[in-house]
Amino acid sequence: MSHAQVSGHQGSGTPWWHGAVIYQLYARSWRDSNDDGYGDLRGIIERLDHLAWLGVDAIWLSPTMPSPDEDWGYDVSDYTGVHPELGTLADLDELIAQAGQRGMRVLLDLVPNHTSSAHPWFADAASGREAEHRRYYVWADPRPDGGRPNNWLDFTGRPAWQWHDSGQYYLHNFMPGQPDLNWWEPAVHLQFARILEFWFERGVAGFRIDVANGLYKDAELRDNPPLDSDNPLEGVFGLRFVYNSNRPETHGVYRDWRKIAESYSPERLLLGETWVPDTQRLAAYYGDNDELQLGFNFPFALADLDPGRLAEIVEQTLAALPPGAGPVWMGSNHDLGRFPSRWCGGDERKIRLALLVLATLPGTSVLYYGDEIGMTDVDVPPALRRDHATLDLEGGADRDRARTPMPWDGSPGGGFTGPGVTPWLPMADPADRTVAGQRDIPESTLSLCRRLLALRRAELGRGLADFENLAVTEGAWAYRTGPVVVAANFTDQPASLPAEAGEVLLTTSAEQAPPSPGVLRPWEGVVTRRSGSGAGHDQL
Ligand code: GLC
């Protein structure tokens, strides 16, 4: 077997992810190569040229490991395999190699908080209290009154404890088919170190780590206290996340994993799903720049498209991170929904402005598949929904809306699957946005996104560009990243360009006519040279 090589640091010791754009690709929804209605690895290989053309640096694949799919791969039954419906290990090797030939790296999704109940570890653990793998999971006796061990609720709001006929409850912070691993057990650490090494040796450039702040649970299994906030990052269903996640011992896991990541050349990336409400607690997962190299910024993603709030979070994040560490920004993912809907209500001007922000902030940016064409959430009728976890949840926390197939073109099957094949989730309306419909149109959102990524590479380059908020008002945001000044108008009225803005390198406006000099159209953003910073450049 040939192991794909991922090329090294850019010579200067700068990690490749500083300045990079990572593309989150939901493998089941990107391209179906065998007409079974589900996307697969060969489909991804077939369309890698789209990503190379777009200009992304790396791809994060949603879970690819074998799984009974109660939670679409976030219930893993074999950590060193490939889900047969997605392909084979040889396909994944080829995908890594082919991406590498196009200058792109591949990250996998790693799920260390829980396994599937179909994992052989759990099958053994459930066989009896003396089983070898019993301590791999969190088991607890009933309370003296026969009740559950504590008040913890799972992610659907039901009790997080499942009674098992081996005479104890087991913990599942997600669904009963996703028993939580017991990170107090040293053998669990050894198993995951091996899993990391298995994939790193195959050329995987790193992992997105699922529920990264979850691993350890309180040793005494204390009750969670009541919640006095409506911030879903603080807690849900009336209980604050205190004892079932965010435990201090979890940091030790990442210090160990960082050493493993750093023992490879180039260093492998650990990008955590850090579900925490503020930048201080986010920064804690970077440690002294000796834990995760990147942690997702949920306060940013869940903020409104409000310049004051976004500017504040960016500044606080940069101030909180340890020296040498970089932030990571995203607006959409497979859980939160798509930013073109959440932030922008489908308004193309706002979508283009948000893309500009994502492309020009310092550090690492993550685009979700479809962001590049401004894809909005798809209204999936209840009868067609596939996300078991949210099917019967009150309040429409429907995650399927952001997991529908990539609309490549307007043909039957949408370029995702063959004509006449029913895709696993309904396609977006092909009259809406497609890749083919935008690709050769200079004013399209796809063309804009590509220009933005090219400009990012050319102007911000590699490394951590320094950042400064220049002017933040109720409706406008101007900031400097490295050599460029970005000015963005978040209102329906024209606004003036700040004094620091120089020659315009790129505008988000799709209008042909130039604006009046020094004026931003409603919801227009521009990237400019700093005024007085010298030589001109062609407009991108
Ligand atoms: C993460 C995933 C989500 C999954 C959950 C349980 O939040 O992003 O999709 O349901 O973890 O693994």
Side-chain angles (χ1 to χ4, degrees):
M1 187 202 62
S2 74
H3 287 178
Q5 292 304 310
V6 230
S7 62
H9 289 172
Q10 268 69 24
S12 58
T14 301
W16 64 262
W17 52 87
H18 286 172
V21 173
I22 299 175
Y23 185 94
Q24 179 190 355
L25 193 160
Y26 201 78
R28 287 190 178 267
S29 291
W30 212 60
R31 162 80 188 141
D32 171 17
S33 71
N34 61 353
D35 289 351
D36 65 358
Y38 292 91
D40 47 54
L41 299 182
R42 296 229 67 84
I44 298 170
I45 295 170
E46 283 174 14
R47 296 281 160 92
L48 281 173
D49 284 338
H50 169 70
L51 299 177
W53 173 86
L54 184 61
V56 307
D57 302 283
I59 309 163
W60 147 31
L61 298 176
S62 60
T64 47
M65 297 168 189
S67 163
D69 289 328
E70 283 190 59
D71 191 11
W72 295 110
Y74 287 106
D75 46 329
V76 175
S77 53
D78 171 6
Y79 284 90
T80 53
V82 167
H83 197 307
E85 287 178 8
L86 295 175
T88 63
L89 207 47
D91 293 331
L92 187 55
D93 286 338
E94 187 181 334
L95 198 169
I96 294 168
Q98 295 244 4
Q101 282 162 21
R102 291 164 177 80
M104 297 181 294
R105 296 171 165 84
V106 176
L107 308 177
L108 298 186
D109 214 313
L110 182 68
V111 188
N113 181 69
H114 46 266
T115 68
S116 162
S117 55
H119 195 289
W121 297 336
F122 190 77
D124 177 59
S127 69
R129 296 181 73 149
E130 303 310 321
E132 184 193 342
H133 296 89
R134 185 76 172 181
R135 277 189 51 81
Y136 274 38
Y137 295 89
V138 185
W139 298 92
D141 293 327
R143 289 189 183 200
D145 66 0
R148 297 187 181 90
N150 63 26
N151 71 351
W152 297 355
L153 298 176
D154 75 10
F155 139 90
T156 70
R158 299 180 182 91
W161 295 98
Q162 174 72 37
W163 177 252
H164 190 264
D165 55 18
S166 59
Q168 285 186 303
Y169 287 96
Y170 71 83
L171 176 70
H172 57 89
N173 269 315
F174 292 87
M175 289 191 287
Q178 295 168 295
D180 277 59
L181 283 162
N182 172 24
W183 279 88
W184 295 98
E185 167 56 41
V188 170
H189 293 243
L190 288 175
Q191 294 281 9
F192 273 86
R194 277 191 219 134
I195 293 164
L196 254 54
E197 286 162 3
F198 175 86
W199 291 110
F200 289 164
E201 264 149 43
R202 289 194 103 80
V204 164
F207 287 107
R208 176 267 189 185
I209 300 163
D210 191 62
V211 196
N213 58 313
L215 313 192
Y216 272 86
K217 315 289 149 26
D218 179 48
E220 296 167 41
L221 301 177
R222 281 170 280 187
D223 277 355
N224 271 336
L227 178 67
D228 49 9
S229 154
D230 57 8
N231 183 348
L233 298 168
E234 292 276 11
V236 276
F237 307 115
L239 294 177
R240 185 175 283 277
F241 300 132
V242 174
Y243 295 115
N244 63 340
S245 59
N246 303 325
R247 305 308 300 157
E249 296 83 6
T250 301
H251 296 279
V253 176
Y254 298 131
R255 282 192 288 273
D256 292 346
W257 289 9
R258 180 69 172 266
K259 288 188 196 114
I260 297 174
E262 285 181 352
S263 73
Y264 287 81
S265 178
E267 178 179 338
R268 303 310 201 235
L269 170 60
L270 306 170
L271 161 56
E273 187 202 16
T274 36
W275 186 260
V276 292
D278 57 61
T279 48
Q280 292 304 327
R281 279 180 273 183
L282 170 61
Y285 284 94
Y286 288 71
D288 294 326
N289 201 8
D290 60 353
E291 297 186 26
L292 302 177
Q293 296 104 331
L294 294 176
F296 273 119
N297 196 319
F298 285 96
F300 176 86
L302 291 174
D304 292 335
L305 190 65
D306 166 67
R309 185 69 188 123
L310 297 178
E312 179 185 39
I313 295 172
V314 170
E315 201 163 303
Q316 286 173 352
T317 304
L318 294 171
L321 294 183
V328 50
W329 316 103
M330 53 77 177
S332 311
N333 77 17
H334 63 292
D335 297 326
L336 304 181
R338 296 179 174 280
F339 80 73
S341 293
R342 206 180 56 258
W343 277 345
C344 310
D347 183 329
E348 207 67 38
R349 300 167 309 168
K350 299 182 187 176
I351 295 170
R352 296 164 73 97
L353 188 69
L355 280 171
L356 167 116
V357 169
L358 286 169
T360 55
L361 289 176
T364 309
S365 291
V366 179
L367 294 178
Y368 187 47
Y369 79 101
D371 280 355
E372 72 269 41
I373 55 168
M375 185 177 177
T376 50
D377 290 342
V378 173
D379 187 14
V380 182
L384 297 182
R385 293 198 188 148
R386 307 296 303 271
D387 178 22
H388 312 290
T390 58
L391 268 184
D392 52 357
L393 271 192
E394 300 266 320
D398 148 38
R399 302 189 295 185
D400 291 311
R401 68 192 194 279
R403 300 178 178 183
T404 60
M406 180 76 165
W408 291 98
D409 58 44
S411 68
F416 165 69
T417 188
V421 177
T422 306
W424 79 295
L425 278 171
M427 299 285 310
D429 179 354
D432 198 10
R433 298 171 172 88
T434 64
V435 174
Q438 295 192 17
R439 191 175 143 125
D440 298 322
I441 312 284
E443 305 80 48
S444 71
T445 298
L446 178 57
S447 299
L448 170 73
C449 185
R450 182 166 182 249
R451 282 199 302 277
L452 278 166
L453 301 197
L455 179 143
R456 178 183 174 91
R457 264 195 311 282
E459 299 294 332
L460 305 185
R462 285 283 169 250
L464 289 174
D466 57 324
F467 174 91
E468 183 186 3
N469 273 323
L470 297 173
V472 187
T473 66
E474 229 170 74
W477 185 12
Y479 53 83
R480 182 178 66 76
T481 324
V484 301
V485 166
V486 174
N489 178 6
F490 288 70
T491 73
D492 288 318
Q493 306 300 322
S496 20
L497 269 177
E500 294 88 343
E503 180 205 353
V504 174
L505 303 175
L506 177 149
T507 169
T508 62
S509 172
E511 286 175 40
Q512 300 294 325
S516 318
V519 173
L520 288 171
R521 299 177 175 94
W523 294 100
E524 181 180 18
V526 291
V527 183
T528 78
R529 284 216 174 288
R530 269 165 103 175
S531 79
S533 67
H537 225 252
D538 291 343
Q539 179 155 340
L540 284 162

